[in-house]
Amino acid sequence: MDVSLPEQADETDRPDAPHDDAHNPATAVPDPIADSTRVGSRFRGLAGPRAEKAVSLALQGGGSHGAFTWGVLDALIEDGRVAFEAVTGASAGAMNAVVLVDGWLAGGPDGARAALERFWREASLDADLKPAQQSWIDGLFHVWKGNPFIEAWLKVLNPGPYTANPLNINPLRGALERTVDFDRLREAETANVFVSATNVWTGKLAVFERERLTADHLMASACLPTMFQAVEIEGVPYWDGGYLGNPALYPLHGASTRDILLVQINPVERRETPRSPRDIQDRLNEITFNANLMRELRAIDFVHGLIEEGGHEVPGLERVFLHRIDGTDELDDYAASTRLDARWRVIERLRDKGRSAARAWLDTGYAEVGVRCSVDLKKAYQ
């Protein structure tokens, strides 16, 4: 079903009054854990035997960089203290979300970890290649990437996906269909899943819920229009969901838990000025794929300001405890163009970086779940 984006919050007359010592980390007494965050017997979601606190997951897309998110999920499941009530994602984030939930349905926490590894192996460029073939592919990548003459030549010859790829072949479809049982996913009573896509005709965000998901919805969410034909669902064409919701946070507001754990893989900041055409395009892509997330963070901060101005909870408004595992530092050496690099050895490195980032967050950020927002929202979007 299509869900329209909420209107952007007006930042004029925004309350920025100083707060009392309760907001000073050095003197504050931690608030009690919100009841909505505790995992009880009636919890409907993904919870292992050691689960203590529940969050909703928000998973960014970013091509093969989504393997970083795989690593994050793998470490969180292995730790076992965090349960997942709902998951929202776009592009690779949506694929991670669906594989996580269906794998959990099939085999619990271990089944989810196994399904995620199976999916990324299936999705890797050299998954089924022999060592000699892998070396050849690696050499081909080395020759192509960064060679301005070959890249320019390919751009000139590329007539677009409708001519260059008339059968609309996308290897990710096979990887999904071999990994996910969509009938089981749709019929289960489990965590909510929200998959974002961009409606080509209206230019609006579409959010598809778990009860109607098929492989087509996932392919629509990951459809880069320069590489693949638009994916039609019930006669309507869709492109990558990252353009308008990467990821969309607002569907999570219906969850009982107020804690949202954002896994962000597109860098917000890069302290360098791109100069080459490729670097300029890479940075434009990063900015574009973060833009609507920044807008939603502003809206959350605006609501927090209204609540704090009144000194109490406001009917119809709810404080969100936002947390983030950020791939910015871990992925600084990976240009946006490497999102198309699907070699298994690259995917493995990204997974390991995600595992490391998740373990660091568990050490420093887990205690904040159910207590307070652990992200400085102003710093995040300004």
Side-chain angles (χ1 to χ4, degrees), residues 29-69:
V29 176
D31 300 322
I33 297 174
D35 289 339
S36 62
T37 300
R38 298 182 187 278
V39 180
S41 59
R42 308 180 99 182
F43 178 74
R44 194 186 88 163
L46 311 180
R50 299 192 305 275
E52 300 171 354
K53 300 180 181 181
V55 302
S56 292
L57 290 170
L59 309 180
Q60 268 201 331
S64 63
H65 289 189
F68 175 90
T69 302

Side-chain angles (χ1 to χ4, degrees), residues 3 6 37-38 58 99 120 125 133 142 144 150 155 167 198 212 235 268 282 287 299 316 322:
V3 182
T37 300
R38 298 182 187 278
V99 173
W120 282 100
L125 175 68
Q133 293 172 310
H142 180 73
W144 283 4
I150 292 180
K155 287 180 180 179
L167 298 179
T198 299
R212 62 176 300 196
V268 175
D282 282 353
I287 292 170
L322 187 70

Side-chain angles (χ1 to χ4, degrees), residues 135-195:
S135 298
W136 182 83
I137 289 289
D138 290 346
L140 194 61
F141 266 96
H142 180 73
V143 170
W144 283 4
K145 293 183 73 63
N147 187 315
F149 299 103
I150 292 180
E151 288 185 349
W153 179 66
L154 289 173
K155 287 180 180 179
V156 170
L157 290 182
N158 184 8
Y162 288 84
T163 301
N165 188 10
L167 298 179
N168 204 25
I169 297 171
N170 189 329
L172 285 177
R173 178 182 288 275
L176 273 173
E177 291 176 340
R178 288 189 293 271
T179 306
V180 176
D181 183 334
F182 283 95
D183 289 333
R184 175 173 58 205
L185 181 74
R186 288 190 297 268
E187 294 168 2
E189 291 290 326
T190 187
N192 288 323
V193 180
F194 304 98
V195 171

Side-chain angles (χ1 to χ4, degrees), residues 117-127 171-172 175 178 342 347:
E117 179 170 1
R118 184 166 62 252
F119 168 75
W120 282 100
R121 282 188 179 276
E122 291 273 3
S124 69
L125 175 68
D126 45 357
L172 285 177
R178 288 189 293 271
I347 288 173

Side-chain angles (χ1 to χ4, degrees), residues 215-229:
D216 283 343
H217 295 91
L218 275 295
M219 300 316 298
S221 183
C223 178
L224 290 173
T226 57
M227 298 181 63
F228 304 106
Q229 299 174 27

Side-chain angles (χ1 to χ4, degrees), residues 237-256:
Y238 293 93
W239 284 340
D240 197 300
Y243 292 114
L244 294 179
N246 194 24
L249 302 182
Y250 72 90
L252 300 176
H253 296 334
S256 61

